[in-house]
Amino acid sequence: MPDALDATPYDALLLLSFGGPEGPDDVIPFLENVTRGRGIPRERLKEVGEHYFLFGGVSPINDQNRALLDALRKDFADHGLDLPVYWGNRNWAPYLTDTLREMVADGRRRILVLATSAYASYSGCRQYRENLADSLAALQAEGLDLPKVDKIRHYFNHEGFVEPMVEGVLKSLADLPEDIRDGAHIAFSTHSIPVASADTSGPVEDHGDGGAYVAQHLDVAKLIAEAVRERTGVDHPWQLVYQSRSGAPHIPWLEPDICDHLAERHAAGVPAVVIAPIGFVSDHMEVLYDLDTEAKAKAEELGLPMRRSATVGADPRFAAAIRDLVLERAAVERGQEVTPCALGALGASHDLCPVGCCPARAPHPAAAGADSPYA
């Protein structure tokens, strides 16, 4: 048996994800959950729902989270880390509040949270923290003793997150015909967000054009491009691009859009494109629809050979990275010196989100940060 690893003071890990419908009847209620309070007309929800209906009304995200749960539990067991792993979603079953209630009933008092979002932004970090605060408030209203909840730092530049994506790009390049492979362009894709939200992402001192959100993605893209060059001897041109815009047309969002980028690259004469969805942990609906459906159709229309590389998903190296991050944070909480794993130029992210980090559109309590009402 492996030597036991120490996660003290934590007694549980919570996988916190977005959630998704698991059948046609779930689609509209799920979208209502996602957009609650934003005044989105039901007709618009039905339009968005068509994306899900193309896949039988089922988002792949829940099955992908189940696979990640299995990978984490296996990795922890194989390495002697005795830490139970739970799963809760923001927008669909199993709901976060229900999972936290279960954890309290099981006697969990110090919970570490893994969000399925690797980068800094309101929607990728603070909104998860706001949902945690809402759930803790609900449990408090029920008279339950609240656990202390912390969140794992942003892991965008951890080796176990980056290396599977490097491998995915290499496999996609190798799948291209040999005569066009070396000239292939790499489009590193992530979720577009409002420019104002990007500019205020990350700690206050990091604010500026694109904020931490853009800086972190650019750092990862550069890491992957350099690793590909080192392993193939070919310096592929690349660019960070965006997908999945959902806002009002008059509000500026990050650009260029992936489909516009494909048209521009084709006009510039590139022989092929590899799309690398570095902004996503798994192949959920926005990858399947926006890349494997819309972007693929655009490339076919242009006659542009295109390959889409894999996301990290439940890769064992990612599970190992989470184990490393759990042990790192636990050691910090015990007052020990640690050397965090962080590739690239930006270094390790903060453990505790500071006040004013990734501000909300309207003030709202957020747990697991310096401004948490649940210390």
PDB file of all heavy atoms in Angstrom, residues 20 54 57 65 68 80 95 117 127 180 203 210 215 225 238 250 258 302 328 335 353 359 370:
ATOM      1  N   GLY A  20     -25.842  20.199 -16.626  1.00  0.00           N
ATOM      2  CA  GLY A  20     -26.436  20.181 -17.956  1.00  0.00           C
ATOM      3  C   GLY A  20     -27.607  19.228 -18.006  1.00  0.00           C
ATOM      4  O   GLY A  20     -27.722  18.316 -17.175  1.00  0.00           O
ATOM      5  N   LEU A  54     -30.171  18.840 -30.819  1.00  0.00           N
ATOM      6  CA  LEU A  54     -29.363  18.171 -31.844  1.00  0.00           C
ATOM      7  C   LEU A  54     -28.654  16.941 -31.285  1.00  0.00           C
ATOM      8  O   LEU A  54     -28.297  16.027 -32.036  1.00  0.00           O
ATOM      9  CB  LEU A  54     -28.320  19.138 -32.410  1.00  0.00           C
ATOM     10  CG  LEU A  54     -28.814  20.234 -33.356  1.00  0.00           C
ATOM     11  CD1 LEU A  54     -27.658  21.190 -33.672  1.00  0.00           C
ATOM     12  CD2 LEU A  54     -29.367  19.629 -34.641  1.00  0.00           C
ATOM     13  N   GLY A  57     -31.109  16.232 -26.515  1.00  0.00           N
ATOM     14  CA  GLY A  57     -31.449  16.925 -25.284  1.00  0.00           C
ATOM     15  C   GLY A  57     -30.515  16.615 -24.140  1.00  0.00           C
ATOM     16  O   GLY A  57     -30.812  16.928 -22.981  1.00  0.00           O
ATOM     17  N   ASN A  65     -18.277  14.676 -15.989  1.00  0.00           N
ATOM     18  CA  ASN A  65     -17.977  14.868 -14.571  1.00  0.00           C
ATOM     19  C   ASN A  65     -17.949  13.539 -13.826  1.00  0.00           C
ATOM     20  O   ASN A  65     -17.140  13.355 -12.905  1.00  0.00           O
ATOM     21  CB  ASN A  65     -18.996  15.812 -13.937  1.00  0.00           C
ATOM     22  CG  ASN A  65     -18.693  17.270 -14.232  1.00  0.00           C
ATOM     23  OD1 ASN A  65     -17.538  17.669 -14.297  1.00  0.00           O
ATOM     24  ND2 ASN A  65     -19.728  18.070 -14.425  1.00  0.00           N
ATOM     25  N   LEU A  68     -14.627  12.149 -14.478  1.00  0.00           N
ATOM     26  CA  LEU A  68     -13.600  12.841 -13.693  1.00  0.00           C
ATOM     27  C   LEU A  68     -13.664  12.415 -12.231  1.00  0.00           C
ATOM     28  O   LEU A  68     -12.623  12.224 -11.588  1.00  0.00           O
ATOM     29  CB  LEU A  68     -13.771  14.355 -13.828  1.00  0.00           C
ATOM     30  CG  LEU A  68     -12.765  15.225 -13.068  1.00  0.00           C
ATOM     31  CD1 LEU A  68     -11.332  14.872 -13.435  1.00  0.00           C
ATOM     32  CD2 LEU A  68     -13.040  16.707 -13.325  1.00  0.00           C
ATOM     33  N   GLY A  80      -2.785   6.754  -1.895  1.00  0.00           N
ATOM     34  CA  GLY A  80      -2.905   6.793  -0.445  1.00  0.00           C
ATOM     35  C   GLY A  80      -3.480   8.079   0.104  1.00  0.00           C
ATOM     36  O   GLY A  80      -3.203   8.439   1.254  1.00  0.00           O
ATOM     37  N   TYR A  95     -27.666  19.163  -7.463  1.00  0.00           N
ATOM     38  CA  TYR A  95     -27.528  20.585  -7.161  1.00  0.00           C
ATOM     39  C   TYR A  95     -26.551  20.809  -6.003  1.00  0.00           C
ATOM     40  O   TYR A  95     -26.457  20.011  -5.066  1.00  0.00           O
ATOM     41  CB  TYR A  95     -28.882  21.184  -6.810  1.00  0.00           C
ATOM     42  CG  TYR A  95     -29.797  21.354  -8.000  1.00  0.00           C
ATOM     43  CD1 TYR A  95     -30.851  20.473  -8.222  1.00  0.00           C
ATOM     44  CD2 TYR A  95     -29.607  22.394  -8.901  1.00  0.00           C
ATOM     45  CE1 TYR A  95     -31.699  20.631  -9.322  1.00  0.00           C
ATOM     46  CE2 TYR A  95     -30.449  22.562  -9.993  1.00  0.00           C
ATOM     47  CZ  TYR A  95     -31.490  21.677 -10.196  1.00  0.00           C
ATOM     48  OH  TYR A  95     -32.329  21.833 -11.281  1.00  0.00           O
ATOM     49  N   SER A 117     -13.443  25.096 -13.973  1.00  0.00           N
ATOM     50  CA  SER A 117     -13.057  26.283 -14.738  1.00  0.00           C
ATOM     51  C   SER A 117     -11.663  26.656 -14.279  1.00  0.00           C
ATOM     52  O   SER A 117     -11.438  26.854 -13.087  1.00  0.00           O
ATOM     53  CB  SER A 117     -14.045  27.428 -14.485  1.00  0.00           C
ATOM     54  OG  SER A 117     -13.634  28.599 -15.151  1.00  0.00           O
ATOM     55  N   GLN A 127     -18.577  33.733  -9.895  1.00  0.00           N
ATOM     56  CA  GLN A 127     -19.951  33.240  -9.920  1.00  0.00           C
ATOM     57  C   GLN A 127     -20.067  31.892  -9.210  1.00  0.00           C
ATOM     58  O   GLN A 127     -21.070  31.621  -8.546  1.00  0.00           O
ATOM     59  CB  GLN A 127     -20.455  33.141 -11.357  1.00  0.00           C
ATOM     60  CG  GLN A 127     -21.967  32.976 -11.443  1.00  0.00           C
ATOM     61  CD  GLN A 127     -22.504  33.165 -12.841  1.00  0.00           C
ATOM     62  OE1 GLN A 127     -21.774  33.083 -13.829  1.00  0.00           O
ATOM     63  NE2 GLN A 127     -23.798  33.428 -12.938  1.00  0.00           N
ATOM     64  N   ILE A 180       0.474  19.260 -45.856  1.00  0.00           N
ATOM     65  CA  ILE A 180      -0.026  20.538 -45.332  1.00  0.00           C
ATOM     66  C   ILE A 180       0.213  20.683 -43.828  1.00  0.00           C
ATOM     67  O   ILE A 180      -0.064  21.737 -43.250  1.00  0.00           O
ATOM     68  CB  ILE A 180      -1.534  20.724 -45.630  1.00  0.00           C
ATOM     69  CG1 ILE A 180      -2.360  19.605 -44.978  1.00  0.00           C
ATOM     70  CG2 ILE A 180      -1.776  20.790 -47.128  1.00  0.00           C
ATOM     71  CD1 ILE A 180      -3.861  19.818 -45.113  1.00  0.00           C
ATOM     72  N   PRO A 203      -7.069  39.855  -9.866  1.00  0.00           N
ATOM     73  CA  PRO A 203      -6.851  40.877  -8.837  1.00  0.00           C
ATOM     74  C   PRO A 203      -6.796  42.272  -9.432  1.00  0.00           C
ATOM     75  O   PRO A 203      -6.464  42.456 -10.598  1.00  0.00           O
ATOM     76  CB  PRO A 203      -5.499  40.473  -8.234  1.00  0.00           C
ATOM     77  CG  PRO A 203      -5.351  39.025  -8.551  1.00  0.00           C
ATOM     78  CD  PRO A 203      -6.024  38.830  -9.868  1.00  0.00           C
ATOM     79  N   GLY A 210      -8.102  43.208 -21.271  1.00  0.00           N
ATOM     80  CA  GLY A 210      -8.231  41.756 -21.212  1.00  0.00           C
ATOM     81  C   GLY A 210      -8.036  41.169 -19.838  1.00  0.00           C
ATOM     82  O   GLY A 210      -8.381  40.006 -19.614  1.00  0.00           O
ATOM     83  N   ALA A 215      -4.717  37.325 -20.257  1.00  0.00           N
ATOM     84  CA  ALA A 215      -3.304  37.053 -19.980  1.00  0.00           C
ATOM     85  C   ALA A 215      -3.060  35.574 -19.693  1.00  0.00           C
ATOM     86  O   ALA A 215      -2.076  34.987 -20.161  1.00  0.00           O
ATOM     87  CB  ALA A 215      -2.834  37.910 -18.812  1.00  0.00           C
ATOM     88  N   ALA A 225       2.229  26.124 -27.734  1.00  0.00           N
ATOM     89  CA  ALA A 225       2.891  26.357 -29.015  1.00  0.00           C
ATOM     90  C   ALA A 225       4.389  26.088 -28.922  1.00  0.00           C
ATOM     91  O   ALA A 225       4.987  25.495 -29.839  1.00  0.00           O
ATOM     92  CB  ALA A 225       2.634  27.787 -29.481  1.00  0.00           C
ATOM     93  N   TRP A 238       0.067  30.895 -34.502  1.00  0.00           N
ATOM     94  CA  TRP A 238      -1.098  30.655 -33.654  1.00  0.00           C
ATOM     95  C   TRP A 238      -1.743  31.965 -33.241  1.00  0.00           C
ATOM     96  O   TRP A 238      -1.145  33.027 -33.345  1.00  0.00           O
ATOM     97  CB  TRP A 238      -0.713  29.841 -32.413  1.00  0.00           C
ATOM     98  CG  TRP A 238       0.294  30.488 -31.501  1.00  0.00           C
ATOM     99  CD1 TRP A 238       1.657  30.370 -31.564  1.00  0.00           C
ATOM    100  CD2 TRP A 238       0.018  31.361 -30.390  1.00  0.00           C
ATOM    101  NE1 TRP A 238       2.255  31.106 -30.558  1.00  0.00           N
ATOM    102  CE2 TRP A 238       1.272  31.723 -29.820  1.00  0.00           C
ATOM    103  CE3 TRP A 238      -1.143  31.871 -29.813  1.00  0.00           C
ATOM    104  CZ2 TRP A 238       1.379  32.571 -28.718  1.00  0.00           C
ATOM    105  CZ3 TRP A 238      -1.043  32.718 -28.711  1.00  0.00           C
ATOM    106  CH2 TRP A 238       0.203  33.049 -28.170  1.00  0.00           C
ATOM    107  N   HIS A 250     -24.971  45.001 -29.001  1.00  0.00           N
ATOM    108  CA  HIS A 250     -24.351  46.313 -28.772  1.00  0.00           C
ATOM    109  C   HIS A 250     -23.285  46.291 -27.676  1.00  0.00           C
ATOM    110  O   HIS A 250     -22.584  47.288 -27.481  1.00  0.00           O
ATOM    111  CB  HIS A 250     -25.430  47.349 -28.412  1.00  0.00           C
ATOM    112  CG  HIS A 250     -26.077  47.107 -27.068  1.00  0.00           C
ATOM    113  ND1 HIS A 250     -27.051  46.150 -26.883  1.00  0.00           N
ATOM    114  CD2 HIS A 250     -25.873  47.691 -25.851  1.00  0.00           C
ATOM    115  CE1 HIS A 250     -27.432  46.161 -25.611  1.00  0.00           C
ATOM    116  NE2 HIS A 250     -26.731  47.080 -24.966  1.00  0.00           N
ATOM    117  N   ILE A 258     -14.332  32.434 -33.620  1.00  0.00           N
ATOM    118  CA  ILE A 258     -13.643  31.327 -34.270  1.00  0.00           C
ATOM    119  C   ILE A 258     -14.012  31.186 -35.746  1.00  0.00           C
ATOM    120  O   ILE A 258     -13.147  30.974 -36.602  1.00  0.00           O
ATOM    121  CB  ILE A 258     -13.881  29.993 -33.515  1.00  0.00           C
ATOM    122  CG1 ILE A 258     -13.205  28.818 -34.219  1.00  0.00           C
ATOM    123  CG2 ILE A 258     -15.347  29.712 -33.307  1.00  0.00           C
ATOM    124  CD1 ILE A 258     -11.705  28.932 -34.340  1.00  0.00           C
ATOM    125  N   LEU A 302     -15.472  26.495 -46.457  1.00  0.00           N
ATOM    126  CA  LEU A 302     -14.301  27.164 -47.002  1.00  0.00           C
ATOM    127  C   LEU A 302     -13.370  26.205 -47.742  1.00  0.00           C
ATOM    128  O   LEU A 302     -12.474  26.660 -48.477  1.00  0.00           O
ATOM    129  CB  LEU A 302     -13.517  27.833 -45.869  1.00  0.00           C
ATOM    130  CG  LEU A 302     -14.207  28.967 -45.117  1.00  0.00           C
ATOM    131  CD1 LEU A 302     -13.445  29.305 -43.850  1.00  0.00           C
ATOM    132  CD2 LEU A 302     -14.327  30.208 -46.015  1.00  0.00           C
ATOM    133  N   GLU A 328      -1.046  20.698  -1.963  1.00  0.00           N
ATOM    134  CA  GLU A 328      -0.422  22.020  -1.872  1.00  0.00           C
ATOM    135  C   GLU A 328      -1.244  22.945  -0.967  1.00  0.00           C
ATOM    136  O   GLU A 328      -0.699  23.583  -0.053  1.00  0.00           O
ATOM    137  CB  GLU A 328      -0.321  22.613  -3.275  1.00  0.00           C
ATOM    138  CG  GLU A 328       0.158  24.050  -3.324  1.00  0.00           C
ATOM    139  CD  GLU A 328      -0.100  24.691  -4.676  1.00  0.00           C
ATOM    140  OE1 GLU A 328       0.371  24.136  -5.695  1.00  0.00           O
ATOM    141  OE2 GLU A 328      -0.771  25.741  -4.714  1.00  0.00           O
ATOM    142  N   GLY A 335       0.363  25.845   7.431  1.00  0.00           N
ATOM    143  CA  GLY A 335       1.463  26.765   7.680  1.00  0.00           C
ATOM    144  C   GLY A 335       2.799  26.296   7.158  1.00  0.00           C
ATOM    145  O   GLY A 335       3.839  26.847   7.558  1.00  0.00           O
ATOM    146  N   CYS A 353      -9.050  34.455  -3.248  1.00  0.00           N
ATOM    147  CA  CYS A 353      -9.424  35.564  -4.124  1.00  0.00           C
ATOM    148  C   CYS A 353      -9.524  36.854  -3.303  1.00  0.00           C
ATOM    149  O   CYS A 353     -10.255  36.899  -2.307  1.00  0.00           O
ATOM    150  CB  CYS A 353     -10.759  35.280  -4.796  1.00  0.00           C
ATOM    151  SG  CYS A 353     -10.700  33.926  -6.001  1.00  0.00           S
ATOM    152  N   PRO A 359     -15.154  41.441 -10.245  1.00  0.00           N
ATOM    153  CA  PRO A 359     -16.377  41.952  -9.626  1.00  0.00           C
ATOM    154  C   PRO A 359     -17.653  41.551 -10.362  1.00  0.00           C
ATOM    155  O   PRO A 359     -17.662  41.386 -11.577  1.00  0.00           O
ATOM    156  CB  PRO A 359     -16.177  43.474  -9.671  1.00  0.00           C
ATOM    157  CG  PRO A 359     -15.215  43.692 -10.800  1.00  0.00           C
ATOM    158  CD  PRO A 359     -14.298  42.516 -10.779  1.00  0.00           C
ATOM    159  N   ALA A 370     -11.424  36.429   0.177  1.00  0.00           N
ATOM    160  CA  ALA A 370     -11.096  37.355   1.248  1.00  0.00           C
ATOM    161  C   ALA A 370     -12.323  38.149   1.722  1.00  0.00           C
ATOM    162  O   ALA A 370     -12.349  38.641   2.837  1.00  0.00           O
ATOM    163  CB  ALA A 370     -10.001  38.314   0.797  1.00  0.00           C
TER     164      ALA A 370
END
